[in-house]
Amino acid sequence: MNQKLWKTTACPYDCPDGCALHGCFDGKAVTLEPNPDLPYSTFLCGKGKRWADRATSSARLSSPLARKEGNLVPVSWEEALDLWAGKIRESVERNGPLSVMYLSSAGSMYFSKKLLPHVFASLGGYTTKIGNLCSSAGSFGLKQTFGEVPVTPPETVEAHSLGVLFWGRNALETHAHVVPVLKKVRERGGEIAALEIRNTPTTRFADRWWRLAPGGDWALAAWLCRRILDGEKDFAGWREHTANPGEFEAAVKGLDSGSLLAAAGLNGEQAEDVYSWLLRFSPVTQYPAFGAQRYLHGDMQFRWIGALAVLLGAFSQKGAGLAFSKDEMALFPSRLSPAPAQVRSLSVSGWPVELEGLEPPVEVLVVSGADPVRQNPASDLVKKAYEKIPFTVCADFILSDTARASSLVLPITTFLEEEGDWRGSYWHSYLVRSHRVLPPRPGALEETEIYTRLARRLGIDCDLNAMKDEMDREMRSSPMLESAGKGVYRWNEPEYWRSGGKKAVLPVRVPETAEGPAGYLRLVTVHRKEYINGQNWDVPSAAEIPVLSMNPSDAADRGLKNGNNAVAVNSRGGSLDVRVAEDPSLGGGYCILPQGTRGVNLLTDPLVSPGSGAPFAESWIDLYPGKEDRPEK
């Protein structure tokens, strides 16, 4: 490899793998390869490979666009920034700083994105969202149990776990770089198992799998806790690491086993098989899914899975922990975090509804690293709420659905055109420093530069480029990081279970679960390996009619069979044309659509779960053979 041409960078995606890359630009095309200095970046997935074409794509924006007479038309940067600053100034003078809303998401996981709100904090405050569309409810539940989200490094799993249990986590599609770790577990005589609502690439890779009912994870975990306690197979030492062992044990033994199995969707023989597997392949690391917490009781799903991990020896046996997620920006220099005088927070999934009647009203909304018009639940309500806001701004490198609905669109660079930024992971403990692979797209600016120019027009002393340089210097000199290769650093991150003195507060109640309208199917939206939700414009299958998978009996009840076109509708009147795929691996009463598909969020509802989570899986639909068959509203 010619080191004079190749640069180190990292994929910015909201993906646990946090891959390090080598990139090269020959003046026309970009080439990307995995960077082996990060041990888990052993290959590039299809999503990562597409960045090579994205960087030079003709779909890239190269000029700001402002809405004039209903249409988005090119304008200069000077005009765009003057317009933006003027709207902010008017809004703050009229209704105070909370009338400006900053909405960000995980379109890029680079550290510098944490600097952007400084401009709005300098105004005296702003409105923003709380929670995220991905992990809020699960993280909230784990924090209720453990005080934080526990960390179990992949190195621990690889070296010590004899079993790995995925709770609804389709890792081979959404977390592919864990596969070498799983193979190492197998080499030591271990097994991989999966609890799922359907057959997936991960269940086919696993040594065994059991089908759960959607949202029934907590019930199986609670049943297993009772089985462990009744069988006196609990691992020594769990009580001393538990703040409420007596109360928990009494609560568990008071649960009805039959009711738990019914909620889990398993019979007694299947549940006993799970129990026997857990004992046989102890120590077991459990990987609960992001989808497992997309219910109104998503926090309790994780509280009971966490309790099971404790009873299975998480505190006493290496490799017996639980791995979900963690703060990928934990090492971001805290002194550089914005500190606004006041912040008003709206829920990540409910803000379009919460805006109604809000005082002071939001008059300027700025979107960064997000495509809420496409990726938020109830996208029809999102678009209506978005268009009611007097002035909306979207920063993106292509014309996303949200950009198309905005008053002002700002063209930004991609990570491949930026220097000196940092990327962490919410799975492993490596960080990557980015280097510029190719020159910035003409007309596009880095977001730190855009916001610095905005600050100048607002008369604010806020140089985000200088802050980014400070961040970079501090990260490069951090005593917590050791170099693992060019641009790759390792953090000796403390493992939660081994840090000592920890006490878990185990759950003592079971959740109330929701049921949908009679005759409706629960809609579960799932990730696909081809794309990241919200960034799907260049996916080969993006223009295809979405495929809805369902149990053959549910299809027959509606006069449908494999390959039929149908119309999916929800109780709000949202509808989507779909193609039916019969899938006998699914149970009855629910169906599957790929998340990120254009229009899928016309069918989901803007609900809020504990921890400000987004319970996508609490949406319900019915299906009709054709538009002429659907009932009147």
Side-chain angles (χ1 to χ4, degrees), residues 157-159 161-164 166 172 178-194 201-209 277 281:
V157 178
E158 185 176 294
S161 299
L162 195 58
V164 172
F166 290 109
L172 265 73
V178 75
V179 172
V181 175
L182 304 180
K183 289 180 177 179
K184 289 287 180 64
V185 171
R186 276 187 175 149
E187 288 171 6
R188 292 188 292 99
E191 281 195 3
I192 314 303
T202 302
T203 63
R204 295 190 285 276
F205 172 87
D207 299 289
R208 64 191 73 202
W209 79 280
W277 184 89
F281 291 99

Side-chain angles (χ1 to χ4, degrees), residues 561-582:
K561 58 184 180 181
N562 199 56
N564 284 171
N565 288 347
V567 180
V569 300
N570 66 6
S571 58
R572 291 189 294 107
S575 68
L576 180 68
D577 292 337
V578 299
R579 181 168 293 125
V580 171
E582 295 181 6

Side-chain angles (χ1 to χ4, degrees), residues 10-14 51 104-114 116 328-329 368-370 397 412-415 418 421-423 447 532 535:
C11 182
Y13 271 143
D14 181 10
W51 278 113
S104 66
S105 191
S108 170
M109 305 294 280
Y110 272 91
F111 277 24
S112 68
K113 304 306 177 185
K114 291 196 72 169
L116 303 182
E328 68 282 342
M329 294 189 183
S368 170
F397 65 95
I412 61 173
T413 51
T414 68
F415 71 102
E418 298 170 2
D421 213 338
W422 289 76
R423 167 75 159 99
E447 282 192 278
I532 291 286
Q535 295 186 351

